Amino acid sequence: VITGTNFIGATQVLFGIPQDSTQYPAESFVVNSATQITAVTPPEGYTYAVATNTYTSWAWPGTGYTDFTWSLKPLTDVTPTGIFWSHQFAFDSGGNIGYCGLQTDTGVGKMVVFSIFGSTAATAGSGGTVVVASELGAPFYSVRFPWAWVINHVYKLVVSSSHAGLSAHQWGAYITDVTAGGAEVFVGHITVPSGWGGLSGGNDIFFTEYFSAPACGSCALIPLASAQWSNVSANAGGVS
């Protein structure tokens, strides 16, 4: 059932996205009123999916890790298209997931984004901001930290509970421009409920997210966005 306005006199119903030239007609449809149409979707094989993300998952045995370290090297810059290159990580018990990575400039500047679902508080590093967002109706905290990354630079990212200055149940994020020989920079820290434990090696993903509007109905319409991740190490390099 499709709702809207001015449907009287409609001669065609198409499924797809206006920005995508690939659109498919309904098998049949009935104009019920000026505000409602009942349509039969195209047969299997002719429907479309909204293209958004690509994923690379990895896992290793063990739990209770105090930090994860990895590097990220952007190979393209598709600003102002919204692209997010990130590492999604999980906690041992009682918690949700978090993620940390680099984002293109969509009008507010390039940045590091560090978020943990189910978190209870956050503090941003100098110049950063804290955003209270929502996932499935539950609030969580996210840090947005300005970072003017450039292509072909290697950036080391760390999520840690063991860095100096962190209190119990706080996880901090840090970034270093390895190519430029820069110092480690504090992105922010996020507080999680007690009982979540350390980081788990069993549910981790590197992902590329396309989040620009309008949505795309075809992967061919998404600009090429390329980045290179390193392998992950844990516990200050003691596990890899």
Side-chain angles (χ1 to χ4, degrees), residues 15-174:
F15 286 84
I17 294 176
Q19 292 74 24
D20 187 346
S21 60
T22 305
Q23 299 192 15
Y24 305 104
E27 289 231 291
S28 62
F29 70 93
V30 175
V31 178
N32 303 322
S33 68
T35 59
Q36 186 181 85
I37 290 176
T38 300
V40 177
T41 59
E44 184 177 359
Y46 289 91
T47 55
Y48 71 95
V50 175
T52 54
N53 301 349
T54 61
Y55 303 91
T56 301
S57 61
W58 62 272
W60 56 25
T63 58
Y65 298 115
T66 58
D67 61 70
F68 282 158
T69 300
W70 69 100
S71 66
L72 176 60
K73 179 182 180 181
L75 301 176
T76 58
D77 185 351
V78 295
T79 294
T81 300
I83 294 291
F84 183 34
W85 293 300
S86 190
H87 174 202
Q88 176 182 304
F89 50 86
F91 293 86
D92 289 339
S93 61
N96 287 291
I97 62 170
Y99 53 84
C100 183
L102 297 177
Q103 188 168 292
T104 52
D105 183 358
T106 57
V108 294
K110 296 176 179 178
M111 66 180 78
V112 180
V113 178
F114 171 45
S115 308
I116 300 178
F117 294 168
S119 51
T120 58
T123 298
S126 178
T129 58
V130 173
V131 175
V132 182
S134 178
E135 174 69 15
L136 299 177
F140 69 92
Y141 286 81
S142 178
V143 174
R144 315 292 167 87
F145 186 77
W147 190 261
W149 56 264
V150 296
I151 61 172
N152 296 319
H153 275 221
V154 175
Y155 298 98
K156 184 179 77 171
L157 290 147
V158 180
V159 171
S160 171
S161 65
S162 58
H163 269 52
L166 296 175
S167 301
H169 316 306
Q170 287 181 345
W171 291 85
Y174 308 83

